[in-house]
């Protein structure tokens, strides 16, 4: 992993949002290159994570206010992967943000457009006869 302190850029001109690199790291995993940049602009600090594979580039931005939550979730996933590699995945607890949290379903009203055939279809759902071919 390569790490370095980035040299601060010149002061931003008025009305323009310039991002300043605070710290940079590069990681190579299999065929991917992953770039982590801690940056700052007039709105605050954030972590920018970019993945480059061939000609494809994907980027996510995490505001500094979410970094502790992100680290907690990442720690849970790392623990899950290492536990699974030891063959003990059934013993892994589910955390607040943990593995399997996305599988929990909320009960209540469905948002508009989420019915079987579009907007409002959930209200008009008929019980009784099944359509032919089912």
């Amino acid at each position: 992993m390569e790490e370095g302190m980035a040299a601060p850029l010149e002061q931003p001109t008025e009305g323009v949002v310039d991002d300043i690199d605070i710290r940079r790291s590069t990681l190579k995993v299999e065929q991917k290159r992953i770039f982590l940049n801690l940056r700052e602009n007039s709105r605050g600090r954030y972590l920018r994570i970019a993945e480059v594979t061939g000609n494809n580039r994907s980027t996510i931005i995490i505001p500094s206010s979410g970094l502790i939550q992100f680290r907690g979730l990442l720690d849970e996933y790392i623990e899950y992967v290492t536990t699974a590699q030891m063959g003990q995945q059934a013993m892994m607890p589910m955390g607040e943000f943990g593995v399997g949290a996305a599988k929990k379903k909320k009960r209540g009203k469905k948002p508009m457009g989420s019915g079987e055939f579009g907007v409002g279809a959930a209200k008009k759902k008929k019980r009784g006869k099944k359509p032919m071919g089912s």
Side-chain angles (χ1 to χ4, degrees), residues 31-104:
Q31 301 300 315
K32 300 173 186 271
R33 286 178 296 150
I34 301 169
F35 301 94
L36 291 100
N37 296 59
L38 182 61
R39 302 184 90 181
E40 183 173 26
N41 61 25
S42 62
R43 291 170 285 179
R45 288 186 176 183
Y46 61 92
L47 179 64
R48 180 174 175 252
I49 303 172
E51 169 204 6
V52 178
T53 306
N55 292 331
N56 298 322
R57 181 183 189 98
S58 299
T59 303
I60 64 167
I61 306 266
I62 303 168
S64 62
S65 60
L67 288 176
I68 292 174
Q69 282 181 297
F70 182 74
R71 182 180 64 189
L73 183 58
L74 189 58
D75 286 342
E76 286 185 32
Y77 275 71
I78 291 168
E79 180 69 25
Y80 178 80
V81 168
T82 56
T83 304
Q85 288 173 347
M86 293 187 305
Q88 299 174 359
Q89 60 190 4
M91 298 173 61
M92 186 65 192
M94 304 280 218
E96 177 183 359
F97 305 106
V99 179
K103 294 180 183 177
K104 294 178 184 175

